[in-house]
Amino acid sequence: MSDVSVRERLPLEGRHIALGVTGSISAYKAADLASKLRQAGATVEVVMTPAAAQFVTPLTFQSLTGRPVVLDMFAAEEAEAHVEVARRADALVIAPASADCMANLASGRTPDMVTLTALATVAPVLVAPAMDSQMWAHPATQANVETLRARGVTFVGPAEGRLASGRTGAGRLAEPAAIVGALRALLGRSRGDLSGRHVVVSAGPTQEPIDPVRYVGNRSSGKMGFAIAEAARDRGARVTLVTGPVALETPPGIDRRDVSTVAQMLAVLQEVTATGDALVMSAAPADFRPENPATQKMKKTPGQESMRIDLAKNPDILASLPAGGVRVGFAAETENLAENAVAKLASKRLAFIVANDVTAAGSGFGTETNQVTIFHDDGRVDALPLMSKYAVAHAILDAIAARLD
Ligand code: PMT
């Protein structure tokens, strides 16, 4: 699969997004959001309330989206603008959504173009609230949130932090990147081929303690596993990501469980795979752990020239988990790729194994790209070119989706 076809699959490419902007100091962030959506290939149509136009001019959005902005239904270029925008939308995002906007949405009142569009659309709706923390916590607002959730509206944020009032608390508009992530998850759920499925992904290294400050680990950055989690989310799956210690941010809309050792990874996977339709083991768990980790920091003694650490075998996670769902393993190899991968495919009872030569340029640990060969349990072999890890993730998910079908 080429990167071009991955781009076509990107959840926002070619999608029609209606962006509703209501009155809030954070309305300036909606300009960044509009720009990000357009850069991702979406057509963005902005509808605004008069209050929003007090903060950011319609011209700003018009310039960023390359499309007319609808503020006043009666002045719109298009007759029945609210119905037309609502009909074209693959999703409606309201960001920022003020307390007043949410009250109107909950009661079905339509005093402006944003609420009119919301009432007229059958597309999924994503609401990103922004208001003072006391307004957000008010029982009236919370009741409106519950009403809207019960009707299928999805919320992103509000985030905690410093507010325009000078107070600190929940009420900040979610960051544009988080809103884009939530939108990708929402679009995936509404029409992705993994919608309704639960995909479990493991990522990253494990750290097996030698003493309180040292560990046995490896070079896994977690990028491969996080890309699989993100791609599965984009295709509509509910995703649980079980990860060793990595320096990566959690993609929005993903349930992340942090672990450190193989024992912890196994325990969490035993719990979460119980409801899993598929498990992708892209983590690099340590095969061995220090047998007797010291409880205090180990000191070197005068004249000491060497030291010995006895290692005990860790459980094989894949082999220890009860059978169920589509099981996918990885094989990180430095030689005899095919031979070693096929042996692991059989011994670990997998549907298929994704083999990567971790010594090849651009492949394996820490890279943005990977070159893999997929060995299936029925003998089929798919040798893929060097691609982004996100593209590799889609190739893996294609094979999983085919099995689930
Ligand atoms: O994280 P990145 O920097 O993006 O790098 C990606 C990667 C190189 C880590 C990834 O592509 C990869 O190859 N992951 C598997 C690493 C590994 O542990 O390979 P293995 O051949 O040693 O293990 C075979 C399979 O058994 C793997 O699916 C592994 O998760 C699993 N395993 C290994 C040990 C163990 N105790 N239990 C297991 O279940």
Side-chain angles (χ1 to χ4, degrees):
M1 188 170 53
S2 71
D3 268 2
V4 173
S5 62
V6 169
R7 267 180 62 73
E8 281 162 10
R9 286 158 167 274
L10 273 176
L12 289 167
E13 180 87 45
R15 296 298 180 90
H16 217 113
I17 308 300
L19 174 60
V21 185
T22 72
S24 156
I25 183 72
S26 62
Y28 72 94
K29 285 192 191 171
D32 185 23
L33 175 63
S35 169
K36 281 192 162 57
L37 293 173
R38 194 167 180 214
Q39 283 170 41
T43 300
V44 184
E45 278 196 287
V46 175
V47 290
M48 299 177 82
T49 63
Q54 299 287 323
F55 291 96
V56 184
T57 66
L59 185 60
T60 304
F61 289 104
Q62 193 174 318
S63 308
L64 288 169
T65 63
R67 297 188 66 94
V69 171
V70 191
L71 178 66
D72 179 352
M73 185 175 59
F74 301 105
E77 284 175 18
E78 211 171 12
E80 297 290 305
H82 61 298
V83 181
E84 290 309 317
V85 174
R87 187 185 54 74
R88 284 192 287 265
D90 290 309
L92 167 65
V93 181
I94 305 180
S98 63
D100 183 48
C101 170
M102 289 181 355
N104 286 325
L105 290 173
S107 66
R109 285 164 41 82
T110 56
D112 51 57
M113 266 308 293
V114 175
T115 44
L116 266 171
T117 308
L119 205 65
T121 194
V122 292
V125 178
L126 178 67
V127 171
M131 65 199 72
D132 192 57
S133 54
Q134 287 182 346
M135 291 169 78
W136 171 249
H138 196 285
T141 304
Q142 289 304 309
N144 290 333
V145 170
E146 281 320 305
T147 302
L148 293 170
R149 278 212 175 101
R151 281 188 209 144
V153 170
T154 302
F155 283 81
V156 53
E160 302 244 347
R162 214 184 111 73
L163 303 164
S165 63
R167 267 193 278 268
T168 302
R172 279 174 71 88
L173 180 68
E175 288 305 315
I179 298 173
V180 172
L183 175 61
R184 283 166 59 166
L186 182 67
L187 288 167
R189 280 200 300 279
S190 73
R191 56 172 78 171
D193 60 350
L194 294 175
S195 181
R197 302 291 190 177
H198 180 200
V199 174
V200 179
V201 183
S202 74
T206 60
Q207 293 182 351
E208 310 292 334
I210 295 171
D211 69 11
V213 300
R214 303 177 180 93
Y215 59 82
V216 173
N218 61 64
R219 299 176 195 280
S220 171
S221 65
K223 286 179 185 169
M224 188 65 247
F226 276 58
I228 299 166
E230 197 172 359
R233 177 208 65 188
D234 289 343
R235 292 168 75 146
R238 174 164 79 88
V239 181
T240 308
L241 175 61
V242 182
T243 180
V246 293
L248 298 177
E249 280 191 24
T250 315
I254 284 169
D255 176 23
R256 170 173 173 167
R257 307 287 182 95
D258 286 292
V259 297
S260 190
T261 63
V262 164
Q264 290 168 4
M265 188 173 276
L266 174 58
V268 174
L269 283 171
Q270 268 164 339
E271 176 202 329
V272 298
T273 52
T275 55
D277 293 294
L279 165 65
V280 188
M281 273 298 288
S282 62
D287 289 324
F288 291 91
R289 67 180 185 281
E291 193 160 24
N292 297 304
T295 52
Q296 301 299 330
K297 183 182 171 193
M298 291 162 74
K299 305 268 190 227
K300 58 180 181 292
T301 51
Q304 183 184 4
E305 293 301 330
S306 65
M307 77 178 295
R308 190 191 159 107
I309 299 170
D310 287 327
L311 300 177
K313 195 163 189 317
N314 262 333
D316 185 307
I317 298 175
L318 275 169
S320 309
L321 291 170
V326 179
R327 290 286 154 90
V328 179
F330 267 73
E333 304 297 341
T334 56
E335 57 183 353
N336 303 329
L337 185 82
E339 198 182 314
N340 291 336
V342 169
K344 286 176 187 172
L345 170 68
S347 69
K348 293 176 187 265
R349 296 173 290 126
L350 304 170
F352 60 90
I353 193 157
V354 184
N356 42 191
D357 176 351
V358 292
T359 62
S363 244
F365 294 107
T367 52
E368 298 299 327
T369 51
N370 209 0
Q371 183 167 3
V372 304
T373 303
I374 301 180
F375 296 89
H376 297 265
D377 60 354
D378 59 7
R380 275 178 304 129
V381 179
D382 296 326
L384 302 176
L386 186 70
M387 320 193 272
S388 68
K389 284 184 172 170
Y390 184 78
V392 171
H394 274 297
I396 294 167
L397 293 168
D398 284 346
I400 290 175
R403 298 242 175 193
L404 289 170
D405 282 349

